[in-house]
Amino acid sequence: MNIFSPSIFHHLGERFYAFAEQHISTMREHDRARAFPRDVVRGIAEAGWLGVCLPQRYGGMGEDYLALAALAEALEFADSSLRETLAVHTGLHALPILQWADEEQRARWLPSLARGALLGGFALNEPDAGSDVAAMCATSLREGDHYI
C-alpha cells in the first residue's frame, strides 16, 4: 500500500491531481511568459478550492486541513508558484480572517475569498533592500491608537 497515494491521503486527492495534471503544460507556458496564471487560478476558484477549508456558511467547502494539504500537494505537482498562490491566499488571508476577525468582517471578506472574487496576495519590498528580509530596516511607531 502506498501511503502517499492521493486517494488514501484524502478523498478529494484524485480530483486535485487530475486538475494539476491537466494544467502542467499551461503552467509551463505561463512560466516561460513570466505571466500570472489567471486562467488556472480561475479554474481553482470555480471548483471551490480557494475556500477548501473555509466553513460552508462563508461559501467554503467545509473540508478539513488535510484537504488543504492534499490540494497544496497536487498544485505543487503542477507548479510551485500555483501552490504558493493557494498558500498565500489561504494562509495569509482567509484563515487569519476566519480565526481572528469579528463576524461582520468574516461575512464581508470570506465569501469573496472562498469563491475567488478576491485573491489574497503578498508583497515584500523596501528601498535599498528589495525582498531581502534581513536587510530591511522599516519600523513602526505607535501614535495614539494607530501605527505610522
Side-chain angles (χ1 to χ4, degrees):
M1 176 185 291
N2 179 359
I3 64 168
F4 298 106
S5 168
S7 62
I8 293 171
F9 185 65
H10 195 274
H11 70 279
L12 294 171
E14 289 181 12
R15 286 179 39 205
F16 295 156
Y17 267 90
F19 179 91
E21 288 174 352
Q22 178 183 356
H23 289 89
I24 287 176
S25 62
T26 304
M27 290 306 300
R28 286 184 187 138
E29 292 170 20
H30 285 290
D31 285 347
R32 285 188 195 105
R34 296 181 180 182
F36 184 74
R38 292 187 199 302
D39 53 336
V40 179
V41 174
R42 188 176 305 114
I44 295 168
E46 289 171 357
W49 299 341
L50 288 178
V52 67
C53 60
L54 293 177
Q56 291 177 345
R57 70 181 176 274
Y58 299 117
M61 292 179 67
E63 293 288 340
D64 58 18
Y65 291 121
L66 285 178
L68 177 61
L71 176 57
E73 180 185 88
L75 295 179
E76 180 73 26
F77 174 77
D79 187 87
S80 184
S81 68
L82 200 53
R83 192 255 328 132
E84 188 61 24
T85 298
L86 173 74
V88 168
H89 175 81
T90 305
L92 296 181
H93 294 276
L95 292 177
I97 291 170
L98 178 64
Q99 184 166 351
W100 291 298
D102 61 33
E103 186 54 38
E104 181 181 336
Q105 293 167 323
R106 288 184 195 118
R108 178 179 179 189
W109 297 108
L110 291 178
S112 295
L113 289 166
R115 71 177 180 273
L118 295 175
L119 185 63
F122 176 74
L124 182 67
N125 198 316
E126 185 176 290
D128 302 320
S131 60
D132 179 2
V133 176
M136 292 183 173
C137 60
T139 59
S140 64
L141 176 65
R142 187 171 189 149
E143 191 173 277
D145 62 352
H146 62 278
Y147 287 86
I148 56 170

